[in-house]
mmCIF file of all heavy atoms in Angstrom:
data_model
loop_
_atom_site.group_PDB
_atom_site.id
_atom_site.type_symbol
_atom_site.label_atom_id
_atom_site.label_comp_id
_atom_site.label_asym_id
_atom_site.label_seq_id
_atom_site.Cartn_x
_atom_site.Cartn_y
_atom_site.Cartn_z
ATOM 1 N N GLU F 813 34.975 23.905 116.145
ATOM 2 C CA GLU F 813 33.648 23.365 116.484
ATOM 3 C C GLU F 813 33.915 21.770 116.632
ATOM 4 O O GLU F 813 33.216 21.134 117.395
ATOM 5 C CB GLU F 813 32.677 23.852 115.562
ATOM 6 C CG GLU F 813 32.351 25.197 115.598
ATOM 7 C CD GLU F 813 31.227 25.692 114.559
ATOM 8 O OE1 GLU F 813 30.754 24.724 113.872
ATOM 9 O OE2 GLU F 813 30.782 26.828 114.712
ATOM 10 N N ALA F 814 34.500 21.221 115.632
ATOM 11 C CA ALA F 814 34.630 19.801 115.572
ATOM 12 C C ALA F 814 35.452 19.258 116.722
ATOM 13 O O ALA F 814 35.059 18.324 117.397
ATOM 14 C CB ALA F 814 35.382 19.298 114.241
ATOM 15 N N ALA F 815 36.555 19.880 117.064
ATOM 16 C CA ALA F 815 37.183 19.629 118.220
ATOM 17 C C ALA F 815 36.507 19.672 119.540
ATOM 18 O O ALA F 815 36.780 18.840 120.531
ATOM 19 C CB ALA F 815 38.556 20.374 118.330
ATOM 20 N N ASP F 816 35.534 20.634 119.577
ATOM 21 C CA ASP F 816 34.794 20.849 120.777
ATOM 22 C C ASP F 816 33.524 19.827 120.889
ATOM 23 O O ASP F 816 32.815 19.737 121.861
ATOM 24 C CB ASP F 816 34.248 22.194 120.843
ATOM 25 C CG ASP F 816 35.313 23.313 121.133
ATOM 26 O OD1 ASP F 816 36.371 22.862 121.697
ATOM 27 O OD2 ASP F 816 35.141 24.511 120.886
ATOM 28 N N GLY F 817 33.255 19.161 119.624
ATOM 29 C CA GLY F 817 32.173 18.348 119.578
ATOM 30 C C GLY F 817 30.845 19.115 119.256
ATOM 31 O O GLY F 817 29.847 18.669 119.554
ATOM 32 N N THR F 818 30.852 20.446 118.847
ATOM 33 C CA THR F 818 29.716 21.190 118.651
ATOM 34 C C THR F 818 29.477 21.311 117.037
ATOM 35 O O THR F 818 28.499 22.058 116.787
ATOM 36 C CB THR F 818 29.914 22.600 119.227
ATOM 37 O OG1 THR F 818 31.024 23.252 118.582
ATOM 38 C CG2 THR F 818 30.115 22.439 120.700
ATOM 39 N N LEU F 819 30.243 20.696 116.246
ATOM 40 C CA LEU F 819 29.896 20.729 114.742
ATOM 41 C C LEU F 819 28.712 19.984 114.440
ATOM 42 O O LEU F 819 28.572 18.864 114.954
ATOM 43 C CB LEU F 819 31.209 20.272 114.020
ATOM 44 C CG LEU F 819 31.065 20.469 112.467
ATOM 45 C CD1 LEU F 819 31.012 21.945 112.076
ATOM 46 C CD2 LEU F 819 32.388 19.805 111.839
ATOM 47 N N SER F 820 27.875 20.586 113.732
ATOM 48 C CA SER F 820 26.600 19.856 113.372
ATOM 49 C C SER F 820 26.704 18.436 112.787
ATOM 50 O O SER F 820 27.385 18.374 111.697
ATOM 51 C CB SER F 820 25.737 20.751 112.449
ATOM 52 O OG SER F 820 24.571 20.005 111.900
ATOM 53 N N GLN F 821 26.255 17.501 113.460
ATOM 54 C CA GLN F 821 26.344 16.111 112.908
ATOM 55 C C GLN F 821 25.550 15.955 111.673
ATOM 56 O O GLN F 821 25.789 15.176 110.880
ATOM 57 C CB GLN F 821 25.911 15.164 113.951
ATOM 58 C CG GLN F 821 26.836 15.077 115.240
ATOM 59 C CD GLN F 821 28.179 14.662 114.863
ATOM 60 O OE1 GLN F 821 28.491 13.795 114.094
ATOM 61 N NE2 GLN F 821 29.204 15.508 115.289
ATOM 62 N N ASP F 822 24.381 16.732 111.608
ATOM 63 C CA ASP F 822 23.511 16.646 110.364
ATOM 64 C C ASP F 822 24.370 17.128 109.176
ATOM 65 O O ASP F 822 24.346 16.598 108.023
ATOM 66 C CB ASP F 822 22.285 17.482 110.447
ATOM 67 C CG ASP F 822 21.420 16.793 111.455
ATOM 68 O OD1 ASP F 822 21.445 15.596 111.816
ATOM 69 O OD2 ASP F 822 20.561 17.606 112.055
ATOM 70 N N ALA F 823 25.026 18.196 109.358
ATOM 71 C CA ALA F 823 26.019 18.755 108.157
ATOM 72 C C ALA F 823 27.095 17.794 107.854
ATOM 73 O O ALA F 823 27.372 17.481 106.705
ATOM 74 C CB ALA F 823 26.620 20.085 108.733
ATOM 75 N N ILE F 824 27.687 17.194 108.883
ATOM 76 C CA ILE F 824 28.694 16.086 108.538
ATOM 77 C C ILE F 824 28.141 15.001 107.703
ATOM 78 O O ILE F 824 28.755 14.563 106.741
ATOM 79 C CB ILE F 824 29.350 15.582 109.830
ATOM 80 C CG1 ILE F 824 30.080 16.761 110.573
ATOM 81 C CG2 ILE F 824 30.298 14.580 109.582
ATOM 82 C CD1 ILE F 824 30.596 16.380 111.909
ATOM 83 N N ALA F 825 26.960 14.546 108.194
ATOM 84 C CA ALA F 825 26.312 13.390 107.419
ATOM 85 C C ALA F 825 25.919 13.835 106.076
ATOM 86 O O ALA F 825 26.047 13.005 105.094
ATOM 87 C CB ALA F 825 25.144 12.964 108.290
ATOM 88 N N SER F 826 25.376 15.034 105.873
ATOM 89 C CA SER F 826 24.995 15.336 104.483
ATOM 90 C C SER F 826 26.235 15.545 103.558
ATOM 91 O O SER F 826 26.206 15.143 102.324
ATOM 92 C CB SER F 826 24.314 16.869 104.584
ATOM 93 O OG SER F 826 25.240 17.827 104.939
ATOM 94 N N GLY F 827 27.329 16.011 104.143
ATOM 95 C CA GLY F 827 28.591 16.123 103.317
ATOM 96 C C GLY F 827 29.066 14.710 102.957
ATOM 97 O O GLY F 827 29.619 14.378 101.849
ATOM 98 N N SER F 828 29.013 13.769 103.887
ATOM 99 C CA SER F 828 29.385 12.426 103.696
ATOM 100 C C SER F 828 28.524 11.779 102.592
ATOM 101 O O SER F 828 28.929 11.117 101.779
ATOM 102 C CB SER F 828 29.326 11.583 104.989
ATOM 103 O OG SER F 828 29.575 10.224 104.671
ATOM 104 N N ASP F 829 27.217 12.064 102.658
ATOM 105 C CA ASP F 829 26.318 11.416 101.667
ATOM 106 C C ASP F 829 26.573 12.023 100.354
ATOM 107 O O ASP F 829 26.530 11.283 99.272
ATOM 108 C CB ASP F 829 24.814 11.828 102.081
ATOM 109 C CG ASP F 829 24.320 11.171 103.394
ATOM 110 O OD1 ASP F 829 24.919 10.131 103.708
ATOM 111 O OD2 ASP F 829 23.359 11.488 103.960
ATOM 112 N N ASP F 830 26.866 13.282 100.168
ATOM 113 C CA ASP F 830 27.246 13.914 98.941
ATOM 114 C C ASP F 830 28.443 13.252 98.223
ATOM 115 O O ASP F 830 28.412 12.979 97.156
ATOM 116 C CB ASP F 830 27.503 15.420 99.171
ATOM 117 C CG ASP F 830 26.167 16.133 99.340
ATOM 118 O OD1 ASP F 830 25.117 15.633 99.200
ATOM 119 O OD2 ASP F 830 26.364 17.277 99.849
ATOM 120 N N MET F 831 29.495 13.041 99.125
ATOM 121 C CA MET F 831 30.682 12.377 98.555
ATOM 122 C C MET F 831 30.443 10.957 98.134
ATOM 123 O O MET F 831 30.957 10.485 97.173
ATOM 124 C CB MET F 831 31.797 12.366 99.657
ATOM 125 C CG MET F 831 32.233 13.883 99.874
ATOM 126 S SD MET F 831 32.907 14.692 98.482
ATOM 127 C CE MET F 831 34.285 13.579 98.172
ATOM 128 N N GLU F 832 29.643 10.191 99.019
ATOM 129 C CA GLU F 832 29.285 8.831 98.622
ATOM 130 C C GLU F 832 28.462 8.793 97.283
ATOM 131 O O GLU F 832 28.691 7.921 96.421
ATOM 132 C CB GLU F 832 28.430 8.135 99.726
ATOM 133 C CG GLU F 832 29.298 7.873 100.906
ATOM 134 C CD GLU F 832 28.440 7.281 102.067
ATOM 135 O OE1 GLU F 832 27.231 7.163 101.964
ATOM 136 O OE2 GLU F 832 28.993 7.163 103.211
ATOM 137 N N GLY F 833 27.506 9.825 97.094
ATOM 138 C CA GLY F 833 26.728 9.835 95.885
ATOM 139 C C GLY F 833 27.619 10.184 94.721
ATOM 140 O O GLY F 833 27.467 9.482 93.575
ATOM 141 N N MET F 834 28.579 11.049 94.805
ATOM 142 C CA MET F 834 29.514 11.324 93.853
ATOM 143 C C MET F 834 30.393 10.134 93.506
ATOM 144 O O MET F 834 30.609 9.923 92.277
ATOM 145 C CB MET F 834 30.371 12.570 94.205
ATOM 146 C CG MET F 834 31.444 12.938 93.244
ATOM 147 S SD MET F 834 30.732 13.534 91.608
ATOM 148 C CE MET F 834 30.305 15.251 92.183
ATOM 149 N N ALA F 835 30.901 9.575 94.397
ATOM 150 C CA ALA F 835 31.657 8.261 94.267
ATOM 151 C C ALA F 835 30.890 7.268 93.492
ATOM 152 O O ALA F 835 31.353 6.576 92.584
ATOM 153 C CB ALA F 835 32.321 7.755 95.547
ATOM 154 N N PHE F 836 29.747 7.008 93.885
ATOM 155 C CA PHE F 836 28.922 6.033 93.270
ATOM 156 C C PHE F 836 28.641 6.383 91.792
ATOM 157 O O PHE F 836 28.762 5.425 90.924
ATOM 158 C CB PHE F 836 27.561 5.906 93.979
ATOM 159 C CG PHE F 836 26.550 4.861 93.294
ATOM 160 C CD1 PHE F 836 26.712 3.506 93.474
ATOM 161 C CD2 PHE F 836 25.598 5.317 92.490
ATOM 162 C CE1 PHE F 836 25.860 2.629 92.885
ATOM 163 C CE2 PHE F 836 24.671 4.482 91.936
ATOM 164 C CZ PHE F 836 24.830 3.162 91.992
ATOM 165 N N PHE F 837 28.283 7.557 91.594
ATOM 166 C CA PHE F 837 27.979 7.979 90.109
ATOM 167 C C PHE F 837 29.244 7.834 89.363
ATOM 168 O O PHE F 837 29.124 7.291 88.187
ATOM 169 C CB PHE F 837 27.624 9.557 90.137
ATOM 170 C CG PHE F 837 27.450 10.078 88.748
ATOM 171 C CD1 PHE F 837 26.338 9.777 87.988
ATOM 172 C CD2 PHE F 837 28.499 10.735 88.224
ATOM 173 C CE1 PHE F 837 26.228 10.197 86.727
ATOM 174 C CE2 PHE F 837 28.385 11.286 86.958
ATOM 175 C CZ PHE F 837 27.206 11.039 86.118
ATOM 176 N N LEU F 838 30.359 8.254 89.845
ATOM 177 C CA LEU F 838 31.690 8.127 89.015
ATOM 178 C C LEU F 838 32.071 6.718 88.728
ATOM 179 O O LEU F 838 32.340 6.360 87.662
ATOM 180 C CB LEU F 838 32.830 8.857 89.743
ATOM 181 C CG LEU F 838 32.836 10.386 89.783
ATOM 182 C CD1 LEU F 838 33.935 10.922 90.627
ATOM 183 C CD2 LEU F 838 32.792 10.992 88.399
ATOM 184 N N ILE F 839 31.840 5.866 89.823
ATOM 185 C CA ILE F 839 32.163 4.394 89.436
ATOM 186 C C ILE F 839 31.140 3.841 88.481
ATOM 187 O O ILE F 839 31.427 3.092 87.478
ATOM 188 C CB ILE F 839 31.973 3.552 90.760
ATOM 189 C CG1 ILE F 839 33.177 4.039 91.715
ATOM 190 C CG2 ILE F 839 32.013 2.060 90.532
ATOM 191 C CD1 ILE F 839 32.987 3.460 93.141
ATOM 192 N N PHE F 840 29.800 4.198 88.577
ATOM 193 C CA PHE F 840 28.789 3.751 87.758
ATOM 194 C C PHE F 840 29.182 4.217 86.271
ATOM 195 O O PHE F 840 29.094 3.516 85.385
ATOM 196 C CB PHE F 840 27.429 4.214 88.142
ATOM 197 C CG PHE F 840 26.290 3.869 87.140
ATOM 198 C CD1 PHE F 840 25.775 2.633 87.106
ATOM 199 C CD2 PHE F 840 25.853 4.835 86.317
ATOM 200 C CE1 PHE F 840 24.749 2.282 86.305
ATOM 201 C CE2 PHE F 840 24.791 4.523 85.349
ATOM 202 C CZ PHE F 840 24.310 3.244 85.351
ATOM 203 N N TRP F 841 29.436 5.575 86.182
ATOM 204 C CA TRP F 841 29.854 6.224 84.923
ATOM 205 C C TRP F 841 30.931 5.586 84.258
ATOM 206 O O TRP F 841 30.883 5.202 83.067
ATOM 207 C CB TRP F 841 29.949 7.632 85.182
ATOM 208 C CG TRP F 841 30.148 8.425 83.850
ATOM 209 C CD1 TRP F 841 29.149 9.012 83.145
ATOM 210 C CD2 TRP F 841 31.332 8.719 83.180
ATOM 211 N NE1 TRP F 841 29.676 9.689 82.030
ATOM 212 C CE2 TRP F 841 31.005 9.476 81.985
ATOM 213 C CE3 TRP F 841 32.714 8.440 83.520
ATOM 214 C CZ2 TRP F 841 32.036 9.919 81.112
ATOM 215 C CZ3 TRP F 841 33.592 8.939 82.612
ATOM 216 C CH2 TRP F 841 33.365 9.675 81.518
ATOM 217 N N LEU F 842 32.036 5.342 84.946
ATOM 218 C CA LEU F 842 33.262 4.748 84.446
ATOM 219 C C LEU F 842 32.971 3.327 83.973
ATOM 220 O O LEU F 842 33.435 2.892 82.929
ATOM 221 C CB LEU F 842 34.308 4.779 85.447
ATOM 222 C CG LEU F 842 34.998 6.063 85.802
ATOM 223 C CD1 LEU F 842 35.948 5.962 87.083
ATOM 224 C CD2 LEU F 842 35.653 6.670 84.594
ATOM 225 N N ALA F 843 32.141 2.483 84.754
ATOM 226 C CA ALA F 843 31.871 1.169 84.425
ATOM 227 C C ALA F 843 31.119 1.044 83.061
ATOM 228 O O ALA F 843 31.557 0.297 82.180
ATOM 229 C CB ALA F 843 31.229 0.467 85.474
ATOM 230 N N ILE F 844 30.023 1.848 83.021
ATOM 231 C CA ILE F 844 29.147 1.758 81.820
ATOM 232 C C ILE F 844 29.711 2.506 80.709
ATOM 233 O O ILE F 844 29.823 1.808 79.515
ATOM 234 C CB ILE F 844 27.765 2.258 82.296
ATOM 235 C CG1 ILE F 844 27.156 1.478 83.437
ATOM 236 C CG2 ILE F 844 26.707 2.209 81.035
ATOM 237 C CD1 ILE F 844 27.047 0.030 83.245
ATOM 238 N N VAL F 845 29.971 3.681 80.819
ATOM 239 C CA VAL F 845 30.472 4.556 79.774
ATOM 240 C C VAL F 845 31.769 4.063 79.169
ATOM 241 O O VAL F 845 32.041 4.049 77.917
ATOM 242 C CB VAL F 845 30.418 5.976 80.001
ATOM 243 C CG1 VAL F 845 31.007 6.839 78.852
ATOM 244 C CG2 VAL F 845 28.983 6.478 80.381
ATOM 245 N N GLY F 846 32.626 3.643 80.212
ATOM 246 C CA GLY F 846 33.995 3.321 79.872
ATOM 247 C C GLY F 846 33.909 2.016 78.932
ATOM 248 O O GLY F 846 34.677 1.795 78.019
ATOM 249 N N LEU F 847 33.038 1.007 79.397
ATOM 250 C CA LEU F 847 32.779 -0.217 78.709
ATOM 251 C C LEU F 847 32.382 0.025 77.195
ATOM 252 O O LEU F 847 33.053 -0.501 76.280
ATOM 253 C CB LEU F 847 31.791 -1.079 79.420
ATOM 254 C CG LEU F 847 31.437 -2.454 78.675
ATOM 255 C CD1 LEU F 847 32.767 -3.355 78.587
ATOM 256 C CD2 LEU F 847 30.420 -3.160 79.371
ATOM 257 N N PHE F 848 31.408 0.926 76.960
ATOM 258 C CA PHE F 848 30.888 1.126 75.631
ATOM 259 C C PHE F 848 31.886 1.889 74.879
ATOM 260 O O PHE F 848 32.017 1.883 73.643
ATOM 261 C CB PHE F 848 29.612 1.902 75.808
ATOM 262 C CG PHE F 848 28.462 0.966 76.002
ATOM 263 C CD1 PHE F 848 27.945 0.858 77.249
ATOM 264 C CD2 PHE F 848 27.814 0.227 74.894
ATOM 265 C CE1 PHE F 848 26.813 -0.084 77.485
ATOM 266 C CE2 PHE F 848 26.762 -0.625 75.191
ATOM 267 C CZ PHE F 848 26.329 -0.779 76.427
ATOM 268 N N THR F 849 32.822 2.807 75.553
ATOM 269 C CA THR F 849 33.809 3.552 74.783
ATOM 270 C C THR F 849 34.808 2.535 74.213
ATOM 271 O O THR F 849 35.207 2.707 73.098
ATOM 272 C CB THR F 849 34.502 4.560 75.736
ATOM 273 O OG1 THR F 849 33.605 5.505 76.268
ATOM 274 C CG2 THR F 849 35.634 5.307 75.038
#
């Protein structure tokens, strides 16, 4: 579907948002909790 250009762009965007949110959380968590540790 992706090669044909028929893969849902909304699905792709949602997946990208999830990964960005996870990355942001991990960076935030490592910075704050890591510092206090």
Side-chain angles (χ1 to χ4, degrees):
E813 292 180 359
D816 290 339
T818 59
L819 186 62
S820 170
Q821 294 301 311
D822 291 338
I824 294 174
S826 67
S828 178
D829 291 342
D830 290 343
M831 291 303 295
E832 289 177 1
M834 177 67 76
F836 175 79
F837 174 80
L838 288 176
I839 292 172
F840 176 81
W841 186 87
L842 287 172
I844 303 301
V845 178
L847 175 63
F848 280 97
T849 301

